[in-house]
Amino acid sequence: MDQNNSLPPYAQGLASPQGAMTPGIPIFSPMMPYGTGLTPQPIQSTNSLSILEEQRQQQQQQQQQQQQQQQAAAAAAQQSASQQAPPGAAGQTPQLFHSQTLTTAPLPGTTPLYPSPMTPMTPITPATPASESSGIVPQLQNIVSTVNLGCKLDLKTIALRARNAEYNPKRFAAVIMRIREPRTTALIFSSGKMVCTGAKSEEQSRLAARKYARVVQKLGFPAKFLDFKIQNMVGSCDVKFPIRLEGLVLTHQQFSSYEPELFPGLIYRMIKPRIVLLIFVSGKVVLTGAKVRAEIYEAFENIYPILKGFRKTT
Amino acid sequence: MPGGRRCPDCDSTELVEDSHYSQSQLVCSDCGCVITEGVLTTTFADEGHLREVTYSQSTGENEQVSRSQQRGLRRVRDLCRVLQLPSTFEDTAVAYYQQAYRHSGIRAARLQKKEVLVGCCVLITCRQHNWPLTMGTICTLIYADLDVFSGTYMQIVKLLGLDVPSLCLADLVKTYCSSFRLFQASPSVPAKYVEDKEKMLSRTLQLVELANETWLVTGRHPLPVITAATFLAWQSLQPSGRLTCSLARFCKLANVDLPYPATSRLQELLAVLLQMAEQLAWLQILKLNKRSVVKHIGDLLQHRHTLVRKAFRDGTAEMEACEREVQGQRQGEEEVGDSSLDLPVRKRPASPALLLPPCMLKPPKQLRPTPPVCTVTGDENISDSEIEQYLRTPEEVRDFQRAQAAGQAAKSLPNP
């Protein structure tokens, strides 16, 4: 059956591939699989002290084996401490990640009695050599948050009396409102619930949501500001070296999905923290699915050693 | 009496419609042979019509299975037969379809999705057996859009928790190249364009391997790269007659569709080959361009490993620092080489290019200047004036309402 040629674009021969040939001969030599046995084990960053206790115990166990590494990590912690200070603005929910700005980092050269809370940030696996922080901080690009205004709204009135609103009930059952500072967009539903997107930080998102609520208030509705919650955070960064995506999908098959016929990037679903990363051949990484900022930083610190393993070294 | 029929036993034409109790029969009046019988019952009786009863019909196995699932399973089997897949593939694909159907999300999905699911199951089976089948082929066979297909495919892989290996490039090259109609002379293919299949296959494989090594394949659809490589392989095997033939004409001759990105892949591949040519001593003097380098592809491929290593350097930032001294060393070597070859003074070959994917070699986009990082607490006071700017004045509201009413009136007016 020779129907090969009647098939339109990207279709290829339907004839069987040469049966005698051994299938699946890789015509490129795959990179040495990085760090066999490397499983990212980031510590879940929450506020609870019990987690800190757990980490302390874990650290103490490893301290016997990896005394030097901890000292090096402490030195690195100081470095990244100074780097993390700017983003750590007040008003953020205090995270493990930021708690180090409050505690004094141990002086280099002294063995800490208990390790500084910074060290959990770097992946604690035997394969990583003296865990160096990557020195790259993912930038937040988008925050999606929701808030309940607590009263039923008349979308027609809002669309009529507000300048920055658009409402097309046939297309979508919500008013789309935009404000200039911070530059954000909100979807306001007739039930009183609102979705705010486009902010670059948690505080900006909260401020923007409050401004939308104030606009709705001024339009005559008894709007409140209930249950403000950040639903999703998107960050991006650049590792500045090309990445062999075919190699990465071979070694991390359970987490990765790479379909060049569909999308040029590799979709990496990290389990802990639960973040989805889009990794591109140019070295740019997009991280999404986070509820808190620390998850993005943690996910990037987990993926960076894996990506470094795929950097071609001549 | 019924026209044309003869008794099979005695060959007489005297056939009588007679009924035996409730069963009508056609009987030969001479020998009594029963020619045909009517249906004894009102239900469909396969035995009476001399048709074998299939296993799936006689057992109750299909009674448990819904009709749409049965239809889907039939389509999976048909698709496997159309693609001439081994029979084991069929069973695997059917098993995947049944497994998918157990999920309520799939059972309740639209028919379009169920049709696409058929293609997904077949594709997953082929991928797991390293059978090179592209999504484009499947989409044309099941008349689906690639975006609908991609959504269903990603969903089903996640739902069933399957490990789907990547498309096997080597096998895809072999299958795709074999589909080119260039291996025999025909009215549309002049003799000088006919090529030996084995030679073309091996050269295409080498070119695709080279493209893979130089970052031209990662992140891109594999097929246009293979098209470009096949074209270059074909041209280079007999450059004298074939340099005038363009890529589009080549695909038309070979009766293969030209994928859109293939032209840019071709340019990228030629650029890589030119970089490599600059490292070969006997090609440096020739001052090759993108057309003339084709004649020397054979040589370049023979030494491709060394040439790639020499022609490109690792494109990483930290290599930049030690790159200076390495360059100095290399230039020193070249000078030595020059004097020994006693070549006339010529332009020094350019310093090794960066071995990076094309997207990293383009000049960086002018990023929008990031707004100054202003510390926002989220609890600041919101001034009334700021909010007022977003509200319409009563006059504006009236004007807007008037405009809206006028617009509605204009719309409702019947067209003259």
Side-chain angles (χ1 to χ4, degrees), chain A residues 1-18 21-29 86-87 89-92 139 158-165 170 177-183 200-212 214-216 218-219 238-246 249-250 253-265 267 269 274 280-284 304 308 310-314, chain B residues 81-84 127 129-137 140-141 146 149-150 153-154 158 163-176 178-179 181 197-198 201 205 208-209 212-215 217-224 254-261 308-309 312-319 355-357 359-360 368 374-384 386-393 396-397 400-401 404 411:
Chain A
M1 225 173 8
D2 239 3
Q3 316 170 333
N4 308 343
N5 309 312
S6 56
L7 295 174
Y10 290 41
Q12 35 81 39
L14 301 179
S16 63
Q18 320 304 315
M21 307 273 180
T22 15
I25 306 167
I27 62 172
F28 61 91
S29 43
Q92 277 181 4
Q139 294 301 311
I158 296 178
L160 177 64
R161 299 187 37 219
R163 282 182 185 151
N164 53 346
K170 287 188 207 143
M177 196 180 283
R178 298 185 164 87
I179 58 173
R180 280 183 281 275
E181 184 55 47
R183 219 157 71 87
K200 297 273 193 223
S201 78
E202 303 90 317
E203 302 82 27
Q204 283 189 9
S205 191
R206 189 185 159 83
L207 180 62
R210 281 177 57 225
K211 290 191 180 173
Y212 287 115
R214 187 70 77 80
V215 170
V216 172
K218 287 222 182 282
L219 288 171
D238 189 0
V239 301
K240 303 239 185 327
F241 54 81
I243 302 168
R244 284 279 173 202
L245 301 178
E246 310 96 354
V249 78
L250 273 179
Q253 212 162 22
Q254 334 76 298
F255 307 111
S256 332
S257 157
Y258 171 55
E259 296 288 340
E261 298 175 77
L262 296 177
F263 188 64
I267 304 169
R269 293 179 194 275
R274 218 167 135 262
F280 296 90
V281 68
S282 56
K284 301 218 168 46
Y304 189 69
K308 266 209 300 192
F310 285 95
R311 174 154 51 169
K312 203 167 168 185
T313 43
T314 37
Chain B
R81 280 183 211 137
V82 164
L83 291 167
Q84 298 177 326
R127 282 275 197 96
H129 294 263
N130 277 326
W131 191 278
L133 192 62
T134 56
M135 293 192 184
T137 314
T140 21
L141 285 174
L146 190 63
F149 184 85
S150 76
Y153 174 77
M154 301 300 282
K158 200 169 164 197
D163 246 344
V164 185
S166 306
L167 194 55
C168 179
L169 214 52
D171 290 336
L172 182 60
V173 169
K174 285 179 206 134
T175 328
Y176 186 55
S178 314
S179 73
R181 298 265 144 266
K197 190 164 167 184
E198 286 314 311
L201 265 182
L205 266 175
V208 172
E209 204 181 309
N212 205 342
E213 209 181 312
T214 52
W215 294 103
V217 170
T218 312
R220 274 97 169 263
H221 198 294
L223 217 69
N255 212 345
V256 165
D257 283 304
L258 173 64
Y260 174 71
V308 168
R309 249 203 321 273
F312 299 100
R313 59 191 161 100
D314 193 3
T316 57
E318 43 183 74
M319 299 286 282
L355 184 56
L356 289 175
C359 55
M360 284 181 88
R368 195 198 302 177
C374 41
T375 42
V376 175
T377 58
D379 291 313
E380 286 116 339
N381 260 344
I382 303 170
S383 64
D384 275 348
E386 192 186 345
I387 301 299
E388 298 285 325
Q389 69 174 312
Y390 293 122
L391 303 176
R392 287 198 170 120
T393 59
E396 278 182 23
V397 175
F400 185 73
Q401 275 176 321
Q404 252 189 342
K411 236 191 289 181

Side-chain angles (χ1 to χ4, degrees), chain A residues 2 6 37 39 55 60 76 79 102 111 115 118 141 144 155 161 171 191 197-198 204 225 255 259 301 312:
Chain A
D2 239 3
S6 56
T39 42
Q55 290 158 359
Q60 279 172 347
Q79 280 177 23
L102 306 170
T111 323
M118 263 310 295
Q141 301 293 345
V144 177
L155 298 184
R161 299 187 37 219
R171 228 177 62 188
S191 61
T197 63
Q204 283 189 9
F225 196 75
F255 307 111
E259 296 288 340
E301 292 299 324
K312 203 167 168 185

Side-chain angles (χ1 to χ4, degrees), chain B residues 15 109 123 157 232 266 285 327 360 379:
Chain B
L15 305 175
L123 179 71
V157 168
L232 278 181
L266 180 64
I285 27 170
Q327 260 189 13
M360 284 181 88
D379 291 313

